[in-house]
């Protein structure tokens, strides 16, 4: 693989179509079909009277929630609606399906159930059932974000699997040597900057530029995991290592557009910063997402971050691809085998 020195030249649209209609043989010997469709696309199977009513509006609003941390609104999912009578053939092979069924003779309460591999391998079918429209609408209002969060989690998991098969071997090997960590970056990442406790790699694309940085600092106490502390560390480390095009320009966090959430990775605490970066002294900026975890073996914090520079284009697919890469991060003592 060609490896080049990373230079601050800012500026390949990479769509992610993860599945194709290939035949496969299951472990039982039966012949089936692999799930089809594009990432973050959902086929909603619902009666037109339901879809055109308040329940349908609520589901559309939910699936069209904006991807967090972007400079402009971009919907989380693409939706295709089909009536139950028309749901057949190739539509049954789509990777993400939402089936809405309202029937007072079958159901006594609203529920959310998941079925995998119903008609195709790698498929997820969500069943939302209820005895009445009003009951389902009340359920949706009491569980905001449930649908979009679930499908996003599924797509991130699919992205991880793709990256484990097709990734930048050079980045993986370099991070293993430098930090003892594993991270599967997109395979086109072959430019880099490497300094003490800091690693930066990029696809160096003129359009749809994606970058990943990994850096470490000593872990002192739980107060490390606050928005204020992690933003201060980010600005200090990235500001010193990522210059802009003009003298004195440096990367910084847009503190008016950043959020902090706590989540779990590999069963352990993970602090997530999400928002916008900007180049002080320059006119550049874009979205970023950052994962911070404690490396207990070495008493340090390991931060893995992805950021995008793609002016005047949608950024949803880029930041999601980078976040899928962050999900693959393994710290010292965490086995890669458990992720297969």
């Amino acid at each position: 693989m060609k490896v080049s020195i990373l230079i601050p030249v800012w500026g390949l649209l990479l769509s992610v179509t993860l599945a194709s209609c290939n035949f496969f043989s299951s472990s039982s010997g039966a012949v089936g079909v692999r799930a089809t469709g594009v990432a973050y696309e959902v086929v909603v199977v619902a009666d037109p009277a339901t879809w055109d009513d308040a329940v349908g509006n609520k589901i559309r609003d939910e699936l069209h929630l904006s991807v967090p941390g972007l400079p402009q609104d971009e919907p989380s999912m693409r939706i295709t609606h089909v009536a139950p009578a028309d749901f057949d053939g190739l539509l049954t092979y789509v990777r993400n399906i939402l089936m809405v069924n309202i029937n007072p003779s079958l159901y006594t309460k609203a529920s959310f159930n998941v079925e995998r591999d119903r008609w195709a391998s790698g498929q997820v079918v969500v069943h939302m059932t209820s005895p009445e429209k009003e009951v389902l609408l009340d359920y949706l209002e009491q569980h905001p974000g449930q649908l979009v969060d679930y499908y996003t989690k599924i797509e991130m998991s699919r992205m991880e699997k793709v990256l484990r098969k097709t990734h930048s071997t050079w980045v993986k090997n370099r991070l293993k040597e430098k930090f003892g960590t594993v991270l599967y970056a997109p395979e086109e990442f072959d430019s880099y900057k490497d300094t003490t406790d800091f690693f930066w790699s990029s696809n160096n694309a003129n359009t749809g530029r994606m970058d990943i940085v990994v850096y470490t600092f000593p872990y002192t106490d739980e107060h490390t995991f606050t928005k204020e502390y992690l933003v201060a560390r980010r600005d200090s480390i990235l500001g010193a290592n990522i210059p802009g095009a003009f003298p004195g320009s440096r990367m910084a966090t847009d503190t008016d557009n950043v959020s902090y959430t706590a989540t779990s990775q590999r069963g352990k605490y993970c602090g997530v910063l999400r928002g916008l970066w900007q180049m002080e002294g320059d006119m550049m900026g874009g979205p970023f997402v950052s994962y911070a975890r404690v490396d207990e073996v070495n008493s340090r914090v390991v931060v893995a971050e992805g950021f995008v520079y793609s002016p005047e284009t949608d950024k949803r697919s880029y930041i999601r691809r980078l976040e899928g890469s962050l999900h693959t991060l393994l710290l010292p003592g965490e086995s890669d085998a458990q992720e297969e």
Side-chain angles (χ1 to χ4, degrees), residues 226-238 253 273:
T226 65
K227 180 173 75 171
E228 292 75 18
Y229 186 90
L230 289 175
V231 166
R233 278 287 189 173
R234 180 184 189 274
D235 286 350
S236 174
I237 294 172
L238 271 63
T253 307
L273 286 178

Side-chain angles (χ1 to χ4, degrees), residues 152-169:
T152 298
K153 179 181 177 181
I154 290 298
E155 290 293 4
M156 283 292 171
S157 178
R158 289 169 174 151
M159 181 72 73
E160 288 183 63
K161 291 178 181 178
V162 170
L163 287 168
R164 282 189 169 82
K165 294 178 180 178
T166 308
H167 56 265
S168 170
T169 302

